[in-house]
Amino acid sequence: MEADDYGTNEAQDSDFPTVERSRLQEMLLLLGLETYQTQKLSLQDALQISSDSMRNWAPQAPKDLPWNFLRKLQALNTEARSTTMVLDVPPDTRPAEKESQMEEEIIYWDAAEDISADIYSFSELPTPDTPVNPLDLLCALLLSSDGFLQQEIVLKMSLCQFALPLVLPDSENHYHTFLLWALRAVVRTWWAQPPRGVGGLREDSAVLSRAPAFAFVRMEVSSNSKSQLLNAVLSPGHRPRDCFWHRDLSVGTNPREIADGLVEVSWFLPSGREDLDVFPEPVAFLNLRGDIGSHWLQFKLLTEISSAVFILTDNISRKDYKLLYSMRGSATKYYFILSPYRGKRNTNLRFLNKLIPVLKMDHSHVLVKVSSTDSAGFVRRVRSIVAHVARSPCRRLSVEEMAHAARKLGLRVDEDCDECQRAKQRMERITRRIKDCDTYRRDELRLQGDPWRKAAQVEKELCQAQRAGDPPEKGRAELGHRLLELREQQNRQDPAWGLQEFIAGISSASQAEKQYFLRWMEWGLARVAQPRPRQPPETILTLRPKHCGVVDFSELLCPEPLGVEHFLREMGQFYEAESCLVEAGKLPAGQRRFAHFPGLALELLLKGLPLELIDGSTLSTPLRWVTGLLKELHVRLERRSRLVVLSALGAPGTGKSTLLNTMFGLRFATGRGCGPRGAFMQLVTVAESFSQDLGCDHILVIDSGGLIGGALATAGERFELEASLATLLMGLSSVTVVSLAETRDIPPAILHAFLRLEKTGHMPNYQFVYQNLQDVCGPSPRPRERRPLLEPPGDVNRAAAQMEKQGDGIQMLADLAFCDPEKQHIWHIPGLWHGVPPMAATPQGAPSGPEHFLEGLFRSPRMPSLLLP
């Protein structure tokens, strides 16, 4: 519908000329997003810390809705789609005439028998005191966001188990976008059961894995809700899941203004449990918003990518018959879901009889659902049809293959921009040469491994000798000479071809191309990595000393996969070697080749990429490289260089990375599988308007990751390394978060660090976080739940105390001087998932633990800021 069909909105802003605007323009203006049509909203804009990040607040005006939605989505709050405004005007002061008018309209819609689809799609445009349909809000926000924020929105929606946008309508410019890039970051995990043999968990990109797809569409008017039917089909057991937004939810009855034409997708993923698995294999479900007659292009796409299409309608008109007749010859199966008592029954039967031979149907393809129909039985029948089609030879496409069909029909694919394609081609040139990850690391990334490990060991011995004053000067000179020899060997090397290509990719003049390249590299390296069987969580836990202080080496370390951090680590080693020679006078400063490397890496940090602070392979810190990064950061931040450093420590699998990602929208590696080791840092910007209140301009967040690496060491050395790294991270930090999950004791290395720091008098603001407690429904601790930190420690932690010569004096955490039992900073965050993975969702209506924790974290005392450098 064009703008001149409905005239000008009376509530338009006086700053704009009095001209007729489209519904999209009106919606963007209402939501305050009109300024983001030329300069799109970026991920960095959305992740800034502001005063709104520190409190639970309700939107007061339509312009607050996008920001409130983004904040809730970042915190994985399933109430994000239910965001409504809290108006200053009390509800009882609403004019009675207006309420009566609204009531009459609802009754009219319910009673209509022959009604235009436009009634369902459009009404009077929303005014500042009218709730906005959540689908309109989503479409407006996606249209105002760049590709990287779109990707973040879709990723968070997938974690909340929301249906994801697949085709984004844009009636303003008369083209629609297939969101292939936005879906790239979504990873699906399911239980794969081969025909013969033992099943197992499989993990793959949502855009690359193939599955049969089933589309549900509406023709004209339907008394049955597609979205409610889809939710029932997708829901195992008796608990309904609201993947697809529907009219019975909060503000669900609000008419859509710009979201008609939106195509959503959701997957059913089996878990391996027969009582919960509705289907034995992954199945995709597609939902077209609006009438197929008004959105023919989207409907045509669905018929070409789906195994079957379910058409819900009350009436079949001559126009609808002609539309469906044009689909003759399609390999897609068609099913009708009718409500004949509301429509023209005889007319429906006449057209259906004509369509049956044309669409190669039979009478079993026509389902009737009326108010007296048993809903559970009807859902079982739909499931049986889907299962039957999926078992038979049928079309199975990946989202990537669906994008090819969309291109042929003239839809725009978001991934087809020149910058994205150039970045993809560069990634493919690099990954094409990687046949084996270990061989590639050894042959192409030559400065890592043994050369860096030897240099790190010598630097450690030299540092220890300088502190102890022993051995004598001659011994320190020998260590210094050996270090220079190792650095000269490194400096004689030239960057390999793959590293040169990587450097060229992150040196691009286009910021967007640089970001595209990094994302492509992450996914490309993940694809070429050799598949390894998943290890149980126990095999990657922090190693702990036994009762007698001897480390148990029966625990295995998971091999580290090849990632972007290895290319950056290689750059760091070139910079380290060169800087060491310059400091020793062995290389003139004017002959430096790699002095610009810290600046390149800093650009990535500012764009949201985690950078390695502690090397995961050698468990050491490349000091010159990190110093170069921080100096560049100080120059780049100029006057806004006050930092608060927040670190998170804990054994792998305790949820610390997930907690940081949820609180700040970061991208630390998560999961219980094999991932990068070492400590990584990311930078979070504080809004200028809030920096004075918070006392800092930026927050440097450090994730300890998997602190145990592949270094070959004796039992005592290994534990000492882990304890030293924990001490280093806590010593650098203004705030330290210790993630404990359900473990009884503080990990010994962290207790070791507390004991050391207590001696120095430097103690960060410490916060203990219990996560995934099954019986916790809120973030507040209860007396029974606080007992583990107050009770005497176990044998492991007593051993750690004895290593610090504390003897038997440390009987419990409260015995430490820094610990006040009455003012403990202990948080209990409820389990993030409700149900059985991979279909588990965040519990609806539950308090958001990370939101409360973030608010309390920065309101607590003893949080000094640091000034770079």
Side-chain angles (χ1 to χ4, degrees), residues 254-307:
N254 285 27
R256 296 187 297 270
E257 303 296 341
I258 62 172
D260 275 356
L262 173 70
V263 177
E264 300 167 289
V265 60
S266 187
W267 288 267
F268 177 85
L269 303 169
S271 63
R273 285 182 50 175
E274 293 184 2
D275 58 327
L276 295 178
D277 287 349
V278 177
F279 307 106
E281 63 173 319
V283 178
F285 291 90
L286 305 168
N287 184 12
L288 171 61
R289 301 289 181 168
D291 170 41
I292 61 174
S294 303
H295 306 286
W296 170 249
L297 187 62
Q298 288 93 320
F299 177 60
K300 177 68 174 174
L301 173 66
L302 294 181
T303 62
E304 296 194 6
I305 64 177
S306 303
S307 303

Side-chain angles (χ1 to χ4, degrees), residues 8-148:
T8 305
N9 192 322
E10 295 178 359
Q12 65 184 337
D13 196 307
S14 59
D15 293 337
F16 285 79
T18 308
V19 294
E20 295 177 346
R21 290 189 293 262
S22 70
R23 290 186 177 271
L24 176 59
Q25 290 173 327
E26 293 282 2
M27 182 60 66
L28 295 173
L29 182 63
L30 181 71
L31 297 174
L33 298 173
E34 72 280 0
T35 58
Y36 297 108
Q37 299 315 295
T38 51
Q39 184 67 35
K40 298 292 186 181
L41 190 65
S42 71
L43 182 58
Q44 284 68 36
D45 294 332
L47 297 183
Q48 277 195 9
I49 298 292
S50 66
S51 58
D52 291 336
S53 306
M54 301 299 174
R55 60 186 177 89
N56 289 320
W57 60 283
Q60 304 292 319
K63 293 183 179 182
D64 296 334
L65 291 173
W67 305 103
N68 190 267
F69 173 80
L70 283 173
R71 178 173 177 265
K72 287 183 175 179
L73 197 62
Q74 175 186 320
L76 302 182
N77 187 335
T78 52
E79 299 294 329
R81 296 182 301 183
S82 305
T83 300
T84 56
M85 294 175 292
V86 176
L87 302 175
D88 294 334
V89 180
D92 57 353
T93 62
R94 180 184 296 172
E97 181 181 353
K98 184 170 183 179
E99 287 190 356
S100 175
Q101 182 181 358
M102 291 170 59
E103 194 173 22
E104 288 177 5
E105 289 175 356
I106 294 172
I107 294 172
Y108 172 70
W109 292 351
D110 288 342
E113 292 186 359
D114 188 8
I115 196 166
S116 169
D118 286 344
I119 294 294
Y120 284 88
S121 304
F122 301 114
S123 68
E124 292 184 7
L125 283 166
T127 58
D129 61 344
T130 305
V132 176
N133 189 289
L135 295 176
D136 286 338
L137 175 61
L138 174 64
C139 288
L141 192 53
L142 290 172
L143 289 169
S144 305
S145 305
D146 66 13
F148 304 99

Side-chain angles (χ1 to χ4, degrees), residues 354-365:
K354 292 181 179 181
L355 286 172
I356 282 176
V358 173
L359 300 181
K360 299 178 182 178
M361 302 191 308
D362 57 41
H363 288 87
S364 67
H365 288 222

Side-chain angles (χ1 to χ4, degrees), residues 629-671:
L629 284 172
L630 294 178
K631 286 182 177 179
E632 286 285 338
L633 180 61
H634 176 61
V635 172
R636 191 67 56 87
L637 298 182
E638 296 178 339
R639 61 182 179 83
R640 303 196 69 222
S641 57
R642 293 178 303 164
L643 283 182
V644 160
V645 181
L646 183 149
S647 62
L649 293 92
T654 55
K656 58 186 180 303
S657 303
T658 301
L659 177 65
L660 295 176
N661 292 349
T662 304
M663 285 197 302
F664 299 107
L666 303 179
R667 298 177 54 215
F668 291 120
T670 60

